[in-house]
Amino acid sequence: MTARLESLKRLESVLENFLGRAVELEINNLNTVSRIDSLDEIARLSLKGRLVNQQLGNWFARNRDYLDSDRLKETEVETIANLLSEIKKGLDSSDPESRKLADEIERWKEKGVVPKRKLILKMKSPAGGMSITEKFADYLGREKVLLEQEEYSQEHLLSILDDILKSAEAKEDHIYIHLAGSIIYFLRMNGYKVSPYVKRLKQIEKERLGIAYAE
């Protein structure tokens, strides 16, 4: 009976240790998800042209120990690195605070948090790719989805245009340039003064597409 009791106690101890480690692992996983989600939100705001210095600074302050502990998994490293790379594009290099944040992003890169280009595999079209008409229709469909986002539901079209232009400046996808041009043309047709927006779009096209217009 004594031997059986000892065995049960050892089994109970093993089970308690296992459950303790399992709970600790789950908590760490949830914390990681929370870290990445908060950084993803900062990246989303940055790419929309929002000032994110305070949020990014707070994120670094909360997660600096996490980086120095070398507990980042490879998938976490890649996700965080890609998000930081996107955020850095939107930082104002003329602002001292933004430069400090850019330096901190570089410090993370030196620690191994280096962005990687994502590999996207796509099936080739039977006809060797979309025609120009199909590409145009695809743009229109994607633009409709963008405009149907909840954040735009109560906004005036001029406010939406301003936001789209900020995205065109910051994001790689040229759909924002195309959508901005469409909105500008529509507003002009309806009697709105759009000269400042036209000037901004021309500058964006020059910087992103290499298109220059004669003055």
Side-chain angles (χ1 to χ4, degrees):
M1 180 66 72
T2 302
R4 185 178 179 183
L5 184 59
E6 290 296 326
S7 296
L8 288 174
K9 286 182 177 180
R10 285 197 297 271
L11 180 60
E12 183 180 4
S13 176
V14 170
L15 182 59
E16 287 178 353
N17 289 335
F18 171 77
L19 291 176
R21 290 195 299 270
V23 169
E24 183 180 359
L25 179 61
E26 183 62 23
I27 290 174
N28 288 336
N29 288 337
L30 290 173
N31 288 339
T32 298
V33 170
S34 177
R35 289 185 183 95
I36 293 177
D37 282 349
S38 61
L39 187 62
D40 182 68
E41 175 65 14
I42 293 171
R44 189 183 69 82
L45 293 173
S46 176
L47 291 176
K48 287 169 64 64
R50 305 289 194 266
L51 182 65
V52 297
N53 286 7
Q54 182 175 350
Q55 295 98 313
L56 183 58
N58 290 340
W59 189 91
F60 278 135
R62 290 193 303 268
N63 294 284
R64 188 170 291 114
D65 291 341
Y66 186 62
L67 169 66
D68 294 336
S69 68
D70 294 325
R71 288 187 288 117
L72 287 168
K73 298 178 183 178
E74 184 177 350
T75 53
E76 296 166 8
V77 169
E78 182 174 342
T79 301
I80 291 173
N82 288 334
L83 290 171
L84 289 176
S85 177
E86 290 297 323
I87 293 171
K88 186 178 179 182
K89 295 176 184 178
L91 294 177
D92 183 1
S93 60
S94 65
D95 174 56
E97 183 181 3
S98 295
R99 288 199 299 271
K100 288 182 180 179
L101 292 170
D103 290 342
E104 182 66 11
I105 292 175
E106 288 302 310
R107 190 179 83 85
W108 279 59
K109 287 177 66 176
E110 291 172 0
K111 285 277 190 175
V113 186
V114 181
K116 296 181 180 179
R117 184 177 296 276
K118 293 182 179 179
L119 179 62
I120 302 175
L121 300 179
K122 296 182 179 179
M123 292 182 61
K124 291 184 178 180
S125 168
M130 288 192 296
S131 68
I132 190 66
T133 303
E134 290 171 329
K135 288 181 179 179
F136 179 67
D138 178 65
Y139 257 49
L140 292 180
R142 291 170 60 201
E143 288 171 354
K144 183 174 183 294
V145 171
L146 280 172
L147 291 174
E148 288 175 344
Q149 292 182 82
E150 184 177 352
E151 60 190 290
Y152 292 146
S153 60
Q154 304 298 324
E155 294 289 332
H156 189 279
L157 192 55
L158 283 171
S159 298
I160 295 175
L161 173 58
D162 183 67
D163 196 73
I164 294 297
L165 284 168
K166 290 175 182 176
S167 294
E169 290 174 327
K171 295 188 177 183
E172 296 294 331
D173 196 336
H174 294 158
I175 191 173
Y176 297 96
I177 296 176
H178 183 269
L179 179 55
S182 299
I183 295 175
I184 288 172
Y185 186 72
F186 180 81
L187 288 169
R188 185 164 60 186
M189 288 174 58
N190 284 271
Y192 286 84
K193 295 181 179 180
V194 294
S195 297
Y197 298 102
V198 172
K199 185 177 180 180
R200 283 177 63 188
L201 180 59
K202 286 182 177 180
Q203 183 61 34
I204 293 170
E205 288 180 322
K206 181 179 179 181
E207 294 175 355
R208 302 300 303 281
L209 303 178
I211 300 175
Y213 297 86
E215 297 295 336

